[in-house]
Amino acid sequence: MQLVDQLQPAMLRVARMYVSTAAVAEEVVQDAWLGVLRGLQSFEGRSSLRTWIFRILTNIAKTRGQREGRSLPFASLAGDDLDAPAVDPSRFDPPEGPRGRWSTLPEDWSDVPEERLLGHETLDVVGRAIASLPPMQAEVIRLRDALGWTSEEVRNALDLTETNQRVLLHRARAKVRGALERYLSDEAT
Amino acid sequence: MGRELTCKELVELVTAYLEGTLPGRHRRRFEAHLAACDRCTAYLAQMRTTIRVTGRLAEEDVSEEQRAVLLTAFRSWKAS
């Protein structure tokens, strides 16, 4: 059951991207685990075990979603803001000025005490920022940065191209950094 | 290509840089800007800190109910 504890929450979130309700997502995850048991002997170890489990999961979830008549354009999962700038353009000198240079120095967070930086309140800010992201952005940053998966694992698990994975991660990290910046500078003043 | 990166351009390359997917000459241009720019150096440090803080997030717990449902499913699979 250790694998279940590790993977179940992410599996439910991923399944939920493709199907209509949390209850259906639970069924999909259950089917996926049974698929894992059935297929375990043929698992060839060409990918990591967790990647392989997520492949089974996403296949079942997508099929189920199609049967429910849900057709999801990539943008509805990935978000429609993938081209948006990582940092508010007003933070840079105007284009006619000296070449898009920072107009204010980004704060030095190395001064922030560890107990505050990694404290409950800060983690709560980060958690809420991630929860407010479009689902695929949220899942990519969770798997990569919260759970420590490699980019290859995430690409394979979520069926993303290398570019898509990177762009989703870029948007997600930029927004989480922005949320941290707002929180930490509020506290300072 | 000979032109220097601006700060505004550099922030959009940070993820590719950290992923190690910036091709050589782009990486050199990125690092040359960074070496001369304390603002972008501070931004990159913020991004590394963001990643470190995100790494402390805990995953949700699996509910007892879900565990029970799965255990039952696993057992019936083994029995069949």
Side-chain angles (χ1 to χ4, degrees):
Chain A
M1 291 301 274
Q2 206 188 340
L3 254 188
V4 171
D5 286 329
Q6 281 173 13
L7 300 182
Q8 181 85 349
M11 288 170 76
L12 283 169
R13 289 191 301 262
V14 170
R16 185 66 188 82
M17 285 197 244
Y18 297 102
V19 301
S20 58
T21 66
V24 176
E26 284 191 25
E27 284 174 30
V28 165
V29 171
Q30 212 189 112
D31 286 353
W33 280 117
L34 292 175
V36 167
L37 289 177
R38 273 193 295 272
L40 209 48
Q41 282 178 322
S42 61
F43 172 62
E44 288 171 345
R46 273 184 303 195
S47 60
S48 72
L49 181 62
R50 58 194 183 187
T51 299
W52 179 72
I53 292 174
F54 271 70
R55 291 300 294 222
I56 293 173
L57 173 77
T58 44
N59 281 332
I60 295 174
K62 283 179 181 175
T63 307
R64 186 69 183 259
Q66 279 161 7
R67 246 196 292 149
E68 288 184 311
R70 278 164 68 95
S71 74
L72 293 168
F74 182 69
S76 74
L77 294 178
D80 53 11
D81 60 348
L82 294 179
D83 296 332
V87 176
D88 186 337
S90 70
R91 298 287 298 277
F92 301 96
D93 293 325
E96 64 272 17
R99 301 166 306 147
R101 195 161 170 270
W102 286 99
S103 47
T104 50
L105 181 69
E107 277 167 45
D108 179 2
W109 292 350
S110 62
D111 297 345
V112 180
E114 284 286 294
E115 62 266 27
R116 179 154 148 247
L117 196 60
L118 303 174
H120 282 301
E121 258 190 72
T122 313
L123 293 180
D124 199 44
V125 168
V126 170
R128 273 183 285 128
I130 292 176
S132 72
L133 297 172
M136 199 62 98
Q137 290 182 30
E139 210 45 50
V140 168
I141 196 172
R142 281 192 179 110
L143 294 177
R144 287 295 311 279
D145 293 347
L147 301 176
W149 291 31
T150 66
S151 72
E152 193 189 0
E153 285 178 313
V154 172
R155 270 184 349 242
N156 289 331
L158 301 178
D159 198 14
L160 298 168
T161 64
E162 185 178 338
T163 303
N164 282 340
Q165 194 269 162
R166 191 184 66 243
V167 171
L168 290 160
L169 182 63
H170 186 66
R171 279 309 291 151
R173 281 179 179 170
K175 283 187 270 188
V176 173
R177 188 208 65 87
L180 263 182
E181 182 176 53
R182 281 188 297 281
Y183 169 70
L184 292 172
S185 62
D186 269 3
E187 285 268 298
T189 50
Chain B
M1 211 29 244
R3 191 176 61 81
E4 280 175 34
L5 277 181
T6 68
C7 302
K8 203 173 171 180
E9 288 165 341
L10 182 136
V11 299
E12 300 302 342
L13 297 175
V14 162
T15 307
Y17 177 69
L18 293 175
E19 294 280 272
T21 55
L22 268 190
R25 59 197 176 125
H26 291 272
R27 197 185 67 242
R28 284 191 293 277
R29 215 159 65 119
F30 185 101
E31 286 171 343
H33 178 112
L34 212 55
C37 180
D38 54 355
R39 295 167 189 229
C40 286
T41 302
Y43 180 82
L44 184 64
Q46 282 191 353
M47 197 52 89
R48 290 189 200 275
T49 301
T50 301
I51 295 165
R52 191 160 66 88
V53 176
T54 305
R56 292 299 187 97
L57 286 182
E59 188 61 286
E60 299 152 51
D61 289 329
V62 179
S63 75
E64 281 309 313
E65 197 189 329
Q66 279 178 36
R67 290 176 64 95
V69 168
L70 281 177
L71 271 177
T72 311
F74 291 169
R75 286 206 189 98
S76 63
W77 181 78
K78 271 184 203 156
S80 63

